[in-house]
Amino acid sequence: METINKQQKRRSRIFSAEARVAYICLIPAFLGLIFLTYLPLVGVLGISLTNWTGLKSPVFIGFDNYIKIFTADPYIKDSIISTIYYAALSVAGSMIYSLFIALLLNRKIPARGFFRAVFYVPYVLPAAAIYVGWSWLYEGNFGFFNYVLSELGLKKILFIADSSYVVPSLSLISVWLAGNLIVIFLAGLQNVPVVYHEAAEVDGAGGWKRFRHITLPCMTPIIFYNLLMSLIANLQVVTPALALTNGGPGNSSRFLTYLMYDQAFVNYKLGYACATTLIIFAILAVFTTLLFKTSGRWIYNEGGDDK
Amino acid sequence: MSVAAYGRLRSKKRRNRTMNLITFVVVVLFAILAIFPIWWIFRTSLMTNAEIYKYPPSLIPDNWLFSNYEKTLKVFKFWKYLWNTMVIIVPSCLAGTFTATLCGYAFARLRFRGKSLIWALCVGSMLLPAMVTLIPLYIGWTRGLGFSDSYWPLILPYFCGGGAFNIFLIRQFIMSIPRELDQAATIDGAGYFRILFNIIMPAIRPAMIVVALFIFIGLWNDLLQQMIYINSSDKYTIALGLTNFRGQLKSDWSLTMAATCLSFAPGVIFYLIGQRYFVEGITLTGLKN
């Protein structure tokens, strides 16, 4: 007993061999946490209180940037609206689409691996190339979608050149890109205990009932994970605006992160851009907190092994 | 088995078979929809401009103009861009995977003072959106360290632990490996690093491959950082090169689509090679909560 105590004491010392190895292993992560995460976080706060343009040395101006954003910024309102609009459509669309496809692929059909690859492949293509490619499908006169519309006798649409269609059109691309969500859903579906289904079937529960009362509850943790990841990713949307629309037409796709990029790296208003960043951060924090807060009510924990 | 039960079983089997058939048809339809944009882009890349604007458009090119690719390669420096992209991706993947494994090992297996604090900081950074730190990092890299128009700001972060999420993934995976394995090795006189390299690393190979894939996809899709750090056109990556090329050739759709297809190719090839690990890996992240 005493030897164990001694041993534990020895081990808990900072310079025990074990701890030394641990610290060596953690040097990279430690540097990363300090210089790539927490110091920049302090930095963004600090810079947001200045009028830095990158040329002259920064002058402390208090909360002026924030006041200006809320009172005099010509873009912020449209930006917030388009970002939330985009995120709402993309998250909802990709969640429904990927859960649906995953449910289909979870059944015993031939060539499952092949189909899984088909739905997953868009995810491994470079995002910039995806948007350039889709811009041709969306083209006003000769694009594929307009061909379909005119065949159906409908009016042509300028998908990405019309401010009322650009956000839904870009969201559709993000739904198409949701291959990773499908794979995660599939993994979750394969973990739903078969015995539950068998038991319910004996009790005469039909397909929909079993989905509603067995599959869905068992999937809630995975749904939560996908929802969270997809929300964080989509609220930070920027690539379509960078690769394709430049925030246009008008301000209709000037997403918040693009707005920040524009202010910082096109107009060199670094202080102002940092203030914008923190507003985006606040919006993100609000949405993720809401998600976490409400999750307790709908996430089903089997056996309550909640960690 | 009673006759009624047997009948029920048979009708259930039949119902299942029809359901599977319906499912299969629906899957095929959706797969066609999913793959269609890529096909449309590809068939455009093989057409003359006259054929592109023909009405009604054809699904298959009249004569497959692979010469479009030759033309594109003259203006779109694909091989150069691909090389540049690999110069960023390969060291990042290797370093990121290695450092994430080191950290994951420390968190999963070793006891040391301050563990819970460092772990909390690590997990906390996972919830921090990337764009929050973008501007201070930009200032730090370009002003502080003078890395303007350089790949270092894109590569070096992966030498710093490979990202909290990847550390988390590796840690979870190591924790699922029985401790008895290391203990046996300790009795045989192996040190901590020996255990890491000879026992843990081989056992978590799938997880390490997955981390490498995630780093690959992350860099592959990150246009924003490449745009702010790289300025000169001979340093462009595929993403930057293509974005720029589109601007140059606004209306020549067949060449633009040929360039797009070229940019698609490495990802597809990469996926086909690593397909098993891709799926396995993403499955891992979904399960390990």
Side-chain angles (χ1 to χ4, degrees), chain A residues 90-109:
Chain A
S90 299
V91 171
S94 51
M95 289 294 284
I96 294 168
Y97 168 73
S98 51
L99 185 56
F100 176 68
I101 298 291
L103 282 168
L104 291 178
L105 291 181
N106 196 40
R107 294 187 66 90
K108 284 194 186 63
I109 54 161

Side-chain angles (χ1 to χ4, degrees), chain B residues 41-54:
Chain B
I41 291 162
F42 179 62
R43 65 114 229 184
T44 308
S45 75
L46 298 170
M47 289 178 162
T48 60
N49 274 321
E51 200 183 348
I52 291 173
Y53 298 128
K54 201 176 68 183

Side-chain angles (χ1 to χ4, degrees), chain B residues 20-285:
Chain B
N20 280 343
L21 190 69
I22 294 167
T23 313
F24 185 69
V25 172
V26 178
V27 168
V28 169
L29 285 177
F30 271 90
I32 291 170
L33 280 180
I35 214 72
F36 186 78
I38 297 175
W39 172 255
W40 195 256
I41 291 162
F42 179 62
R43 65 114 229 184
T44 308
S45 75
L46 298 170
M47 289 178 162
T48 60
N49 274 321
E51 200 183 348
I52 291 173
Y53 298 128
K54 201 176 68 183
Y55 199 90
S58 54
L59 201 55
I60 295 162
D62 286 343
N63 26 14
W64 300 51
L65 277 182
F66 284 102
S67 58
N68 279 348
Y69 282 83
E70 283 165 42
K71 272 194 233 164
T72 306
L73 282 171
K74 276 187 198 131
V75 225
F76 179 66
K77 289 180 231 146
F78 174 70
W79 297 112
K80 176 92 189 148
Y81 300 147
L82 180 64
W83 170 256
N84 291 343
T85 311
M86 289 305 142
V87 166
I88 298 170
I89 283 182
V90 171
S92 299
C93 283
L94 294 177
T97 309
F98 182 69
T99 52
T101 306
L102 284 182
C103 302
Y105 173 62
F107 283 127
R109 282 290 200 262
L110 305 177
R111 280 170 301 177
F112 54 94
R113 197 169 282 176
K115 184 170 174 175
S116 51
L117 175 70
I118 302 175
W119 179 240
L121 286 175
C122 204
V123 172
S125 76
M126 220 149 65
L127 288 170
L128 192 74
M131 50 106 227
V132 175
T133 52
L134 188 75
I135 296 169
L137 280 178
Y138 171 79
I139 293 166
W141 288 119
T142 56
R143 305 258 163 156
L145 299 170
F147 289 139
S148 307
D149 199 17
S150 135
Y151 297 143
W152 290 115
L154 302 170
I155 299 172
L156 282 178
Y158 289 102
F159 281 76
C160 297
F165 179 75
N166 293 329
I167 295 173
F168 182 77
L169 191 72
I170 297 268
R171 170 183 173 265
Q172 295 300 98
F173 211 84
I174 293 178
M175 291 199 323
S176 71
I177 295 168
R179 253 174 204 277
E180 284 76 20
L181 273 179
D182 332 3
Q183 278 159 359
T186 313
I187 291 165
D188 288 345
Y192 294 106
F193 284 114
R194 256 315 269 288
I195 292 174
L196 173 61
F197 288 113
N198 292 351
I199 294 171
I200 302 280
M201 278 193 184
I204 62 162
R205 221 186 56 165
M208 287 173 74
I209 292 173
V210 168
V211 167
L213 293 174
F214 280 156
I215 295 173
F216 175 90
I217 290 179
L219 283 163
W220 202 228
N221 283 324
D222 179 17
L223 183 60
L224 178 61
Q225 290 206 67
Q226 295 172 16
M227 250 188 192
I228 64 178
Y229 288 116
I230 300 168
N231 311 115
S232 51
S233 59
D234 62 327
K235 287 188 179 161
Y236 276 0
T237 56
I238 289 182
L240 287 173
L242 188 67
T243 309
N244 195 54
F245 185 71
R246 184 187 141 262
Q248 275 174 30
L249 278 184
K250 265 232 151 84
S251 57
D252 198 331
W253 285 108
S254 53
L255 295 198
T256 308
M257 288 309 110
T260 306
C261 286
L262 285 171
S263 313
F264 282 172
V268 174
I269 292 168
F270 188 70
Y271 175 72
L272 291 178
I273 296 169
Q275 189 183 10
R276 193 162 64 88
Y277 295 109
F278 254 112
V279 174
E280 194 177 334
I282 295 191
T283 309
L284 280 173
T285 59

